[in-house]
Amino acid sequence: MTVSLTELSKAFGEVRAVDGVSFDIADGELFGLLGPNGAGKTTTINMLTGLARPDRGAIVINGIDCTKDAKAAQRLIGVVPDESNLYPELTGMRNLTFCAALYGLRKRERARRARELLDEFGLAEAADRKFATYSKGMKRKLTIAAGIIHRPPILFLDEPTTGIDVASARQIRGLISSLNADGTTILLTTHYIEEAERLCGRIAFIVRGRIVRIDTTASLLQPLHERHVVLIDLSEPGLVEWPLLAETFPAYRFGTPHAGQLRVESSEPLAVGAIVRFLEERELDVLEARRVRPSLEEVFVEVTGIEADVMSGEREKPGRGK
């Protein structure tokens, strides 16, 4: 089951939410669309699922031209929106059987499939509770269960772990990996860089409605393998003598990714002890020095120009990833 987008565009008044987006998703692939809130992720998902009509461009799902007939491929896809579309007054079980009915499952199959998913997602004990009483993590899991109740070969997941607790997010990532391992083709939108790195085989960076880079996760990370990075926590970073530091260690690159932190990078192994001694000799209190593995976060910052703390700051608020 393949998905293909060609020059897809959508504007809302003067705002161009999606601007010439093109990419293909191969059968069985877990493809990530990574970008900050407002980048165009949800608008792209809405066009793929028929909730929004493109201004121009083409969408082809498993050979079906969805631009001409938005509903033609709906039986092939499952959708998990960024905000739950389930009914708060219905129980977990009733929500699932209702969704199953919408997808045309027979009555006996609806109940059997609903119970199966409630067990798989750890929600069996809450099956007869109203959806409104569920925690955020439980709501997210039931929303995913509703999106796959008809066993779709293609699944669109929009910000699946936004605004939920760490344990629930970890469980949901495990469920996503299992679905993909079983053959489901998945498009995942997220603004969590580490989530994209952990789950996706290929990733597209989207910024202000445009795709700025598409590549495999391995290829994106390959240049980082040649980098050596150390983070040093200081009690008073404002007292660092930057010109002298750069002169003393000309082969190193220095930065301050966060307040109270010094970042040192080199293409050669770093002399951490020498750097620490330099700082301590100037009466700077070194709290900690640790080697770190460069991550996809650095690639994203270099390609998009968007600082990592902008993306990470969004983890604290359940805003929509448009």
Side-chain angles (χ1 to χ4, degrees), residues 116-189:
E116 176 184 287
L117 288 171
L118 287 165
D119 286 338
E120 181 180 349
F121 282 56
L123 296 171
E125 293 184 0
D128 297 323
R129 283 172 45 191
K130 289 185 177 181
F131 184 69
T133 68
Y134 282 21
S135 68
K136 287 183 179 179
M138 293 169 67
K139 286 179 178 178
R140 206 72 189 122
K141 286 187 278 188
L142 194 75
T143 303
I144 295 174
I148 63 171
I149 196 161
H150 58 305
R151 296 186 176 86
I154 299 171
L155 181 61
F156 299 139
L157 289 161
D158 194 8
E159 303 277 3
T161 61
T162 295
I164 63 175
D165 62 274
V166 173
S168 294
R170 186 181 297 115
Q171 185 178 10
I172 286 172
R173 290 183 186 117
L175 291 167
I176 293 169
S177 294
S178 296
L179 286 168
N180 182 240
D182 290 339
T184 304
T185 302
I186 298 175
L187 169 62
L188 167 74
T189 78

